[in-house]
Amino acid sequence: MVGNESNWQKRERVRARLLDLVEEARPGRALPPERQLCEELGVSRPTLRSVVDDLVRDGLLVREHGRGVFVAEAKVAQRLAQGAGSALEVGGVDGAWTSRTLDFRSAPAGPRIARRLRLSPAEPVLRITRLRSVDGLPMAVETVHVPEALVPGLAAADLEGGASFYRLLGGRFGILLTDAAQTIEPTVVDEAEAELLGVAPHTPALLFERASSNADGRVVEFTHSVYRGDRYKILTQLSLAARPDNGRVLGGSWSAATAVPGADTLVLDPYWNG
């Protein structure tokens, strides 16, 4: 026990110790018994349980009723980087990705999607919703909107399994995507998403929205994706070295290094690179 600690300092000390245990242990390993940890750290059970609850919510620990608390599987990590060539290259996602098409329909774009795809609201758009999984674990619910005229003959079965959507666009329809504007923000899953992902409603998640364009500047797709916050994370490394432009950020963009700690363990997401 440390004297004259504030509640915040005490919680941070407990959190640091538990994070060390997570770092040292393999996924699936049980934490020491609650009584042992309380004695070691000199804290009450409510304090310990509160910190454990935070780490369970963060996806670092898993609580199993009647069995104890265990180290969670490592989160799926995606590295954001700009490829050296002219084609869009966003990848670095570990695990084997597969997709299951949940909904595939044609409908007028409507005002919201038309604005993002730069179309007339009446123009037909394919709306494709897929459940994306990593090593069999549901990871994201993704809805892709594509102008129907660009992908004649595209069928739901074309997007099943581990097929690369972007490779399909390039190989079958001659569409090469070169640029994308993407936003990432925190959200929570709704009841339908929760059921598909196997989590509780209102579980924290990451919301991705992306509009991708070809070399002519035509917007080819708009995608809305909800990823599990407890199992997914983003890796990026920013270059802060001195530059001829005095380090200004041009066009509101960040420069991302290709060498990310742990990136050597990652493989490419087949959605982007096949």
Side-chain angles (χ1 to χ4, degrees), residues 2-271:
V2 179
N4 300 320
E5 274 188 315
S6 66
N7 288 335
W8 177 84
Q9 289 172 321
K10 185 181 298 183
R11 287 178 53 86
E12 286 301 297
R13 180 167 57 83
V14 173
R15 179 180 174 85
R17 175 57 182 147
L18 295 182
L19 288 175
D20 284 343
L21 291 175
V22 170
E23 185 73 21
E24 296 165 358
R26 292 182 178 181
R29 181 176 177 181
L31 290 190
E34 189 176 81
R35 177 181 297 178
Q36 178 181 329
L37 286 172
C38 288
E39 291 177 355
E40 174 188 336
L41 296 168
V43 297
S44 66
R45 290 193 175 189
T47 296
L48 177 65
R49 288 172 182 171
S50 176
V51 178
V52 169
D53 287 344
D54 288 345
L55 296 181
V56 169
R57 190 163 49 247
D58 291 343
L60 298 174
L61 296 174
V62 176
R63 179 182 278 110
E64 297 186 12
H65 183 69
R67 296 190 62 228
V69 179
F70 301 82
V71 176
E73 294 288 335
K75 290 188 177 184
V76 173
Q78 175 168 320
R79 173 173 50 85
L80 299 185
Q82 178 64 44
S86 59
L88 181 68
E89 182 180 345
V90 181
V93 181
D94 50 356
W97 285 75
T98 56
S99 299
R100 177 164 63 91
T101 303
L102 305 173
D103 188 40
F104 187 99
R105 68 179 67 183
S106 173
R112 186 177 72 90
I113 300 303
R115 185 169 62 253
R116 286 161 172 78
L117 291 175
R118 302 176 192 168
L119 302 173
S120 162
E123 186 162 342
V125 168
L126 286 181
R127 182 180 185 273
I128 307 160
T129 300
R130 301 193 296 172
L131 177 64
R132 308 202 64 218
S133 301
V134 181
D135 297 332
L137 178 71
M139 187 61 59
V141 179
E142 174 183 85
T143 301
V144 181
H145 303 84
V146 185
E148 189 171 4
L150 293 181
V151 288
L154 183 66
D158 296 330
L159 301 171
E160 293 280 351
S164 164
F165 179 55
Y166 281 10
R167 175 168 289 184
L168 179 65
L169 289 179
R172 181 168 164 184
F173 302 104
I175 299 173
L176 177 64
L177 300 181
T178 59
D179 297 281
Q182 178 168 272
T183 62
I184 308 171
E185 58 184 294
T187 186
V188 295
V189 299
D190 61 24
E191 290 189 2
E193 292 162 345
E195 183 177 356
L196 290 168
L197 296 173
V199 299
H202 311 302
T203 293
L206 291 172
L207 169 62
F208 290 70
E209 290 196 332
R210 179 178 61 255
S212 304
S213 308
N214 64 12
D216 296 327
R218 177 166 186 176
V219 180
V220 172
E221 65 141 5
F222 171 70
T223 298
H224 173 104
S225 305
V226 175
Y227 283 74
R228 290 176 54 166
D230 64 330
R231 300 293 298 124
Y232 197 81
K233 66 181 179 181
I234 301 298
L235 296 178
T236 186
Q237 184 167 326
L238 305 178
S239 174
L240 304 178
R243 298 166 56 98
D245 58 13
N246 294 320
R248 289 186 298 120
V249 178
L250 302 179
S253 63
W254 295 87
S255 60
T258 56
V260 177
D264 57 330
T265 66
L266 304 180
V267 297
L268 295 178
D269 180 349
Y271 178 89

